[in-house]
Amino acid sequence: MALTAQKVGTKPYDDQKPGTSGLRKAVKVYQNQPNYTENFIQATLIAGVGDRLKGSTLVVGGDGRFYGKEATELIIRMCAANGVSKLLIGQNGLLSTPAVSYLIRKYQTQGGIILTASHNPGGPDGDFGIKFNTPNGGPAPEAITNRIFEITKSISEYLTCPALQADISTIGTQTFQVDGATFTVEILDSVADYVTYMKEIFNFESIKTIVAEGAVTPLKILINAMHGVTGPYVRRIFVDELGAPESSIINCVPLQDFGGHHPDPNLTYAADLVKELKKGQHGFGAAFDGDGDRNMILGHNAFFVTPCDSLAILAQNLDCIPYFQKTGVKGYARSMPTSGAVDRVAKSTGKECFEVPTGWKFFGNLMDAGRLSLCGEESFGTGSDHIREKDGVWAVLAWLSVLAHTNKSVEELLMDHWNKFGRNFFTRHDFENVDTAPANEMMANLNALIVDPALVGKQYSSGDKTYTVAVADNFSYTDPIDNSVTKGQGVRLIMSDDSRVIFRLSGTGSSGATIRLYIEGYESDPAKYGLDSQVVLKPLIDIALQVSQLQELTGRTAPTVIT
Ligand code: G1P
Ligand code: ZN
């Protein structure tokens, strides 16, 4: 059937500014406002693909959350009308964020659209998100997201092809004639390409020696997909390929509302996994977020590996992974609030280590320039230059590779690290959904405080600890590759012993404000390595609350989430 594209008139919205990772809003914001989704997609196609739109190929996929199917179908019709030649789409619209990044790179497309609000809850009352990734497979840089926002503020029409009906449930190729040009929709097995890639990166035979049913040196593992998109990937990789028993994987059916839970792998929201591991029957546990880019790693008895330490341990042991044996280890990076544990490894291995603002998009240039192999964020993100997104399943395979290679337990690896380098204690306190006005006031006060010349050298005391402020600033970053400057990325008080107190507002929330308070303190006394970080960091937490007047301004006496 010959189809025609149509122009549809529309009115702009003023709130479509992409945040740390795409546009995230309540589902109802997309659903109940005319053309809200269409406007953002049209702006994304213009700003993200631009001149290359005609004849282009794009990848489309998401984490299976509510409204994802409608959005996928809408994107198909709009891409057809905008002159895109071909879409590669995961079956039923499902693709993990790392898989999208890989497919963009593997098939050298002009980018991709990811439908996810990551770890935010889903369902009709939850959140939805749209994110554009560029041809390198990574999240669009600010130059593009700012341009998207500009377009959304004045958009007056979008293009669509209302009569086009594609079937996204059947693997295979469908073609359509739109205004005389061929438009192809290829529905892919959501996991096949990604699994093949993981088998190239890692030595599956080695991992099998610890996880396969009947292994000689068995490590009982428990992987929790939290009803996010990783379920099918987890099943194919851990059960079908690595031979782990069926009982090693749970919550592997993707659900539109993630079973009513918050699909975020941390001690608060993955409490089920923690409880199960505390029974002492497993040597390794892991969980992922809704779109599969985050991971949490636990050892025996739910021994918690902070993402900061996880990054450092992997940095120390990358050589046992075939991918890095081929590429060599180029350098490391972490987001600014992430602890300096990896910096200590970098110093000992003589590699470069970069500190970038929060958000994975800041790692891409360094990877593309061949300066960066491994990076991570304290927010449960770990990944490498194998793609341009963080990758939860990759992180678990990396950990299992290290465990198989060293024959050590998770706890032993951590102890080795602390004994060698000392322990960078780290915690993050989140105050979610705070009123916007007091949150902004707090940040304004802090910004005023840090320019006061009297602050540097000032001493703060709490309990038996006294800290002297050595540096006070709002983190600003100059990208070493393209020299772009990103300012205002978090207020920092760095003490004379390198302890840090950092404040920033979240850029991924969908309503109100979320204050993130990051605390880092370093200890080199082995007697303290086994202590609870909340206890060790209490003096710094108290000082942070005192300096910011957080409790007085927001009325919150306790964080909603501690990681
Ligand atoms: C949060 C994390 C950040 C991560 C982002 C996307 O952003 O803090 O590290 O890159 O989610 O997963 P925030 O809400 O703090 O802006
Ligand atoms: Zn995510």
Side-chain angles (χ1 to χ4, degrees):
M1 185 171 67
L3 301 162
T4 47
Q6 287 182 11
K7 273 186 190 160
V8 181
T10 187
K11 291 208 168 61
Y13 292 91
D14 62 5
D15 67 344
Q16 297 197 314
K17 186 174 170 53
T20 312
S21 192
L23 183 74
R24 286 192 200 164
K25 301 277 177 194
V27 165
K28 293 202 157 62
V29 169
Y30 290 93
Q31 250 185 345
N32 298 346
Q33 302 190 87
N35 302 333
Y36 194 85
T37 310
E38 287 85 343
N39 286 8
F40 191 74
I41 296 296
Q42 186 66 49
T44 297
L45 292 176
I46 296 169
V49 198
D51 295 347
R52 293 166 291 122
L53 199 51
K54 294 261 175 280
S56 63
T57 299
L58 296 173
V59 178
V60 181
D63 60 9
R65 68 178 57 226
F66 186 82
Y67 191 64
K69 192 162 173 283
E70 288 90 322
T72 305
E73 287 168 353
L74 181 154
I75 290 169
I76 296 172
R77 291 192 293 271
M78 288 187 61
C79 285
N82 274 282
V84 172
S85 265
K86 186 173 184 182
L87 292 179
L88 300 172
I89 304 178
Q91 189 178 19
N92 296 314
L94 288 184
L95 284 174
S96 73
T97 291
V100 173
S101 184
Y102 177 54
L103 292 174
I104 292 171
R105 295 172 68 78
K106 176 169 180 184
Y107 295 108
Q108 300 186 352
T109 74
Q110 278 72 40
I113 298 174
I114 311 184
L115 303 172
T116 173
S118 186
H119 49 285
N120 295 18
D125 298 318
D127 285 349
F128 188 71
I130 305 175
K131 176 171 137 178
F132 180 73
N133 281 31
T134 53
N136 77 347
E142 280 178 343
I144 292 180
T145 55
N146 290 340
R147 178 95 185 98
I148 293 176
F149 183 44
E150 286 310 312
I151 295 172
T152 61
K153 287 192 286 189
S154 62
I155 191 166
S156 61
E157 60 183 33
Y158 66 86
L159 298 176
T160 188
C161 186
L164 194 153
Q165 298 273 359
D167 168 14
I168 63 169
S169 66
T170 310
I171 292 175
T173 300
Q174 303 159 49
T175 54
F176 305 88
Q177 292 304 315
V178 180
D179 292 333
T182 302
F183 174 64
T184 304
V185 172
E186 186 174 345
I187 307 297
L188 304 172
D189 175 329
S190 307
V191 305
D193 288 293
Y194 180 84
V195 173
T196 306
Y197 193 36
M198 290 301 117
K199 289 170 78 174
E200 287 167 24
I201 292 174
F202 296 102
N203 180 345
F204 272 38
E205 290 311 313
S206 164
I207 301 174
K208 271 187 203 169
T209 64
I210 55 171
V211 306
E213 201 151 15
V216 188
T217 45
L219 172 78
K220 208 171 165 206
I221 63 170
L222 187 62
I223 313 284
N224 186 346
M226 296 180 82
H227 292 300
V229 73
T230 53
Y233 297 81
V234 165
R235 171 169 299 282
R236 191 87 63 94
I237 289 174
F238 295 96
V239 176
D240 299 349
E241 294 287 345
L242 292 170
E246 181 71 34
S247 58
S248 325
I249 63 169
I250 51 171
N251 298 335
C252 283
V253 176
L255 296 176
Q256 288 197 331
D257 66 349
F258 309 109
H261 298 296
H262 211 120
D264 203 2
N266 58 42
L267 295 174
T268 305
Y269 295 124
D272 279 7
L273 181 75
V274 176
K275 202 170 142 205
E276 210 41 49
L277 268 277
K278 277 200 172 144
K279 293 180 184 162
Q281 290 161 7
H282 298 90
F284 181 88
F288 309 108
D289 72 336
D291 63 327
D293 55 358
R294 294 184 173 200
N295 74 93
M296 176 171 76
I297 305 289
L298 299 176
H300 186 62
N301 288 327
F303 181 90
F304 174 59
V305 183
T306 68
C308 307
D309 282 345
S310 173
L311 177 62
I313 305 289
L314 293 182
Q316 183 80 46
N317 293 285
L318 275 190
D319 292 346
C320 72
I321 297 171
Y323 176 89
F324 298 103
Q325 290 162 0
K326 269 184 236 135
T327 65
V329 177
K330 293 156 186 162
Y332 314 113
R334 60 171 170 82
S335 66
M336 180 273 285
T338 303
S339 91
V342 67
D343 303 41
R344 294 176 194 277
V345 176
K347 215 168 164 193
S348 85
T349 55
K351 310 268 183 210
E352 279 192 297
C353 188
F354 301 91
E355 182 181 44
V356 310
T358 297
W360 209 261
K361 56 181 174 248
F362 294 102
F363 295 124
N365 274 351
L366 292 164
M367 289 182 177
D368 290 348
R371 303 269 292 271
L372 172 56
S373 291
L374 174 80
C375 54
E377 294 192 276
E378 50 64 43
S379 52
F380 296 82
T382 323
S384 88
D385 64 350
H386 69 290
I387 54 170
R388 296 294 180 271
E389 287 277 7
K390 53 191 180 255
D391 189 343
V393 170
W394 176 92
V396 168
L397 290 169
W399 261 91
L400 292 173
S401 303
V402 174
L403 293 169
H405 178 76
T406 58
N407 236 329
K408 290 188 173 164
S409 69
V410 172
E411 189 165 354
E412 282 166 347
L413 285 171
L414 266 292
M415 281 301 169
D416 283 357
H417 173 82
W418 296 335
N419 284 328
K420 185 162 179 195
F421 297 104
R423 179 168 179 187
N424 290 69
F425 281 90
F426 176 87
T427 189
R428 184 175 106 185
H429 287 202
D430 290 338
F431 300 80
E432 296 170 309
N433 226 336
V434 168
D435 288 338
T436 313
N440 288 340
E441 189 183 343
M442 186 193 88
M443 291 307 291
N445 293 347
L446 287 167
N447 275 309
L449 182 77
I450 54 173
V451 293
D452 179 352
L455 185 61
V456 172
K458 189 167 172 177
Q459 293 196 327
Y460 288 98
S461 297
S462 171
D464 60 349
K465 292 273 196 177
T466 296
Y467 296 94
T468 308
V469 178
V471 177
D473 67 1
N474 195 333
F475 182 63
S476 161
Y477 176 68
T478 304
D479 185 299
I481 311 303
D482 66 12
N483 293 318
S484 59
V485 177
T486 310
K487 291 186 176 152
Q489 295 298 303
V491 169
R492 314 188 287 184
L493 300 188
I494 306 177
M495 308 301 180
S496 55
D497 70 345
D498 288 342
S499 298
R500 300 190 302 163
V501 172
I502 299 157
F503 303 86
R504 60 178 280 285
L505 297 184
S506 158
T508 57
S510 60
S511 62
T514 289
I515 299 170
R516 303 206 194 283
L517 168 57
Y518 308 83
I519 306 282
E520 176 179 5
Y522 176 73
E523 292 288 349
S524 55
D525 173 4
K528 294 197 170 154
Y529 294 161
L531 294 179
D532 179 357
S533 50
Q534 300 307 314
V535 175
V536 174
L537 298 174
K538 175 106 185 14
L540 281 165
I541 297 168
D542 288 343
I543 290 167
L545 294 176
Q546 184 190 324
V547 173
S548 63
Q549 299 281 293
L550 187 151
Q551 297 188 335
E552 292 79 352
L553 287 167
T554 65
R556 295 291 180 85
T557 51
T560 41
V561 178
I562 293 180
T563 50

